[in-house]
Each structure stands twice: as C-alpha cells, then as structure tokens.
C-alpha cells in the first residue's frame, strides 16, 4: 500500500523562479511542486523511486523582499570537463571578476511549508518488499535530519530546514488565505532528457493549501 509522508520545511528566504521572467529572478507566491519534490529527493532518491507531491500548505504569511545579488554569468564548459577527464588535468575554474554580474530579485522571506507526498516504486520483482525497504530508509533519514544534500528553496543558498511530521492532528493550521495563484510550474517533463519541457497547472490557494493535481491529469498542461 502506498504511503503518504509529510515534511515541514522552513527557511529565511526562497525563490521559486517564474520561467517567464528572463533576466531578473521573481518568485512564485508559493513553493512549486518541483521544488518540493527536490526537497524529498535530497533526503532519499534512487532510480527505482519517484516522489509525487500532493499538497503544499503555507504556514506563514506570504512576505516579500527585494535583493540585489552578485551572480556568475556562465558555467564551466562541457568540453573542458570532458578534456580534463580524458587527460587527467585541465582548467575547470572560472574567473569570478571577469564573469560577475549583478541581478535584482524579488524573493520570499521567512517561509514555512508543510508538504505532503507519496512514493512510487518501479520494479517487476517483488515490489512490496522493496518498497518497504525504501519506506524505512526515508523514515529513518527524515526523522534523524539526515540528507544526501541540503534541501533548498529554489536557490542553493536558500537552505530549507526540514522535519518529518508524524502527527498531523498536533500541527498548527495553515494560514487563513484563499486566492488564485495563476499558472504555476508543476514540473519538467523528462521524456526527452536532452530537452526537458515545463508543464504547468492553474494553482489556487484554498484555506492556506495548494492541492497539486496528478501529473497525468488534464489539469497539467505543457
């Protein structure tokens, strides 16, 4: 039987970047399902499993902050990496002074969410036994605060601190707010790994919670 898990995620800043903003970073009002999925994967990810986000509850009022940050304009080229791997040596660094650019951003501040997700398991050999192993692995890691890499809110410098929620009845209610959020990024379609395509859904904040439609539903569009 498929289990549902809940994580409380909190941090000082967040930026769930709207893809239509080409230059400046502007965040969605609420955490996106793809960002929430990445937080679960930071605790446990294997090729045989897939996380599905079902609901995102907003625990603190939505607040904004304008920040201007220094960013690096480019990345290390794939060609340089391949050459270094082949030869055993190479230059993989970037000169920050030559590549620095300053960008303004509209970010969220003092954020907290309660995210509900379930784990889908892919295997043709005794799926229940293998699923239980992954369930136990996630529960152990999440309850101890262990992760493969630090979960984050959209940008790696915006760390997300997590806690496994085991008793929802003892948790505080989400914010008392209802409004339309417009089209929101659901996730990327990796059917073609070299050219992943974004898919969107019309999000609505209902009594502080966003219900996330299933990936294959008619509500999710490319």
């Amino acid at each position: 039987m498929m289990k549902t898990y809940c994580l409380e995620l909190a941090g000082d800043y967040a930026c769930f970047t709207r893809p239509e903003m080409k230059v400046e970073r502007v965040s969605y009002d609420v955490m996106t399902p793809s960002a929430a999925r990445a937080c679960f994967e930071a605790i446990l990810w294997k090729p045989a499993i897939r996380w599905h986000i079902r609901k995102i509850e907003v625990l603190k009022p939505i607040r904004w902050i304008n920040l201007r940050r220094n960013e690096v304009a480019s990345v290390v080229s794939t060609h340089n990496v391949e050459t270094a791997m082949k030869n055993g040596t190479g230059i993989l660094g970037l000169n920050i002074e030559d590549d620095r650019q300053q960008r303004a951003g509209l970010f969220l501040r003092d954020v907290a969410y309660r995210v509900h997700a379930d784990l889908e398991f892919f295997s043709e050999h005794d799926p229940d036994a293998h699923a239980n192993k992954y369930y136990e692995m996630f529960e152990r890691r999440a309850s101890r605060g262990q992760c493969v890499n630090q979960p984050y809110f959209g940008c790696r410098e915006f760390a997300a601190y997590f806690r496994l929620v085991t008793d929802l009845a003892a948790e505080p209610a989400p914010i008392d707010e209802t409004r339309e959020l417009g089209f929101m990024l659901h996730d990327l379609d990796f059917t073609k790994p070299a050219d992943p395509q974004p898919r969107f859904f019309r999000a609505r904040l209902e009594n502080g919670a966003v219900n996330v439609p299933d990936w294959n539903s008619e509500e999710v569009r490319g």
Side-chain angles (χ1 to χ4, degrees):
M1 182 176 179
M2 187 175 294
K3 288 187 176 181
T4 298
Y5 291 104
C6 180
L7 286 180
E8 181 183 294
L9 300 162
D12 296 328
Y13 300 101
C15 181
F16 310 113
T17 307
R18 292 179 175 272
E20 66 269 23
M21 308 303 290
K22 302 298 182 181
V23 179
E24 310 299 347
R25 294 185 185 274
V26 177
S27 177
Y28 284 107
D29 297 42
V30 175
M31 186 179 204
T32 61
S34 59
R37 171 185 56 77
C39 289
F40 276 84
E41 289 180 345
I43 300 171
L44 177 64
W45 180 86
K46 299 288 183 182
I49 65 176
R50 180 184 299 164
W51 287 103
H52 295 281
I53 305 302
R54 302 305 183 187
K55 183 167 67 172
I56 300 172
E57 295 178 281
V58 183
L59 305 181
K60 291 186 177 182
I62 299 171
R63 296 191 178 97
W64 300 89
I65 185 172
N66 282 292
L67 288 177
R68 187 172 293 275
R69 304 183 305 160
N70 290 326
E71 297 186 4
V72 177
S74 59
V75 297
V76 176
S77 73
T78 304
H79 174 74
N80 288 353
V81 174
E82 292 174 346
T83 301
M85 292 175 65
K86 182 178 180 181
N87 299 333
T89 183
I91 299 175
L92 300 180
L94 292 174
N95 190 327
I96 297 177
E97 297 301 327
D98 295 338
D99 221 22
R100 177 182 290 138
Q101 61 182 11
Q102 201 171 68
R103 287 187 177 181
L106 183 60
F107 306 142
L108 297 167
R109 63 182 179 90
D110 192 23
V111 297
Y113 306 99
R114 199 160 49 229
V115 182
H116 303 256
D118 53 57
L119 184 61
E120 183 180 2
F121 180 76
F122 300 96
S123 178
E124 297 178 359
H125 306 286
D126 197 6
D128 291 334
H130 286 284
N132 287 334
K133 177 181 69 175
Y134 288 118
Y135 291 149
E136 293 171 1
M137 191 181 301
F138 176 78
E139 291 168 7
R140 182 174 64 254
R141 290 184 181 180
S143 62
R144 295 176 179 176
Q146 298 174 335
C147 52
V148 178
N149 56 270
Q150 180 65 47
Y152 57 91
F153 286 134
C155 298
R156 288 192 180 274
E157 61 265 41
F158 297 158
Y161 303 98
F162 65 91
R163 176 177 67 89
L164 180 64
V165 177
T166 56
D167 183 7
L168 286 172
E171 298 296 321
I175 62 173
D176 184 17
E177 186 173 345
T178 297
R179 60 185 171 95
E180 297 292 337
L181 298 175
F183 279 102
M184 174 182 284
L185 177 68
H186 188 294
D187 214 319
L188 295 176
D189 184 353
F190 289 98
T191 303
K192 298 179 180 179
D195 186 27
Q197 296 297 311
R199 298 187 68 185
F200 301 86
F201 73 105
R202 186 176 289 280
R204 175 178 172 80
L205 186 66
E206 185 77 34
N207 296 322
V210 176
N211 290 307
V212 181
D214 187 78
W215 175 258
N216 295 317
S217 72
E218 295 182 353
E219 299 176 60
V220 182
R221 307 173 184 177

